[in-house]
Amino acid sequence: LARARGARPLAGLAGWGQACDGYHCARPEPEGAALEAAMRRALDDAGFAPEAVDHVNAHAPSTPQGDRAEALALRRLFGRRSPAIASTKALGGHALSMAGLLEAALCALALSESVIPGQAHLEEPDEACEGLDLPAASRAAGFGAALNNSSGFGGANVCHLFTRT
């Protein structure tokens, strides 16, 4: 649609997935199973393997339960090969019901501009983040695929897979 109106698309939507854990109204299931399922469904929808992902824009709500559950899901999905994982919430705050849309747009912009955002204000990652690539500073990186995670109240989880256009 962007090209049809003469605009340059920032990214292409290659796949998406969703899953709900219904664990608690405001906390995710502690192991991140539904978020992992949403990420796997997005990859399956696009026909991508986890190894094809270069960057993850994490939901990362900065709550001990939310960050730990997402870290565990990411570690299971990617195993020993972690893509660069960052979150933009530390820069703009948590937009609540707008967070998914805002972060999808920022993820597409990062892909378009070949920049992986740094982890602003991250000083002591949870031990569950061990082995994950959490860049402290933004870095230029030519990359072709990025996952964008969004989690919401009631255990709703959505993941989009964006690709370079």
Side-chain angles (χ1 to χ4, degrees):
L1 294 174
R3 284 192 180 100
R5 58 184 171 76
R8 179 180 67 89
L10 297 179
L13 178 63
W16 75 282
Q18 69 178 17
C20 186
D21 61 41
Y23 177 78
H24 184 272
C25 65
R27 286 193 315 262
E29 183 274 322
E31 299 299 312
L35 183 53
E36 179 185 2
M39 290 188 285
R40 288 188 185 282
R41 289 173 181 163
L43 291 169
D44 289 347
D45 187 44
F48 275 50
E51 297 78 30
V53 174
D54 304 301
H55 168 54
V56 176
N57 186 49
H59 179 69
S62 292
T63 64
Q65 300 90 351
D67 289 354
R68 181 179 188 283
E70 186 168 20
L72 293 173
L74 289 164
R75 284 176 52 191
R76 283 192 307 274
L77 180 66
F78 293 108
R80 295 180 188 261
R81 186 226 160 253
S82 173
I85 300 167
S87 174
T88 54
K89 281 188 184 67
L91 298 172
H94 196 316
L96 296 176
S97 60
M98 281 293 297
L101 176 61
L102 175 61
E103 291 174 9
L106 293 172
C107 186
L109 184 61
L111 184 63
S112 174
E113 298 297 320
S114 298
V115 174
I116 293 175
Q119 292 285 71
H121 313 294
L122 179 64
E123 294 176 8
E124 294 180 40
D126 187 283
E127 62 189 32
C129 295
E130 185 178 335
L132 296 178
D133 179 7
L134 306 173
S138 295
R139 64 186 186 212
F143 59 102
L147 286 175
N148 182 67
N149 288 339
S150 299
S151 299
F153 293 126
N157 296 275
V158 174
C159 182
H160 297 99
L161 176 64
F162 294 110
T163 55
R164 181 173 297 284
T165 58

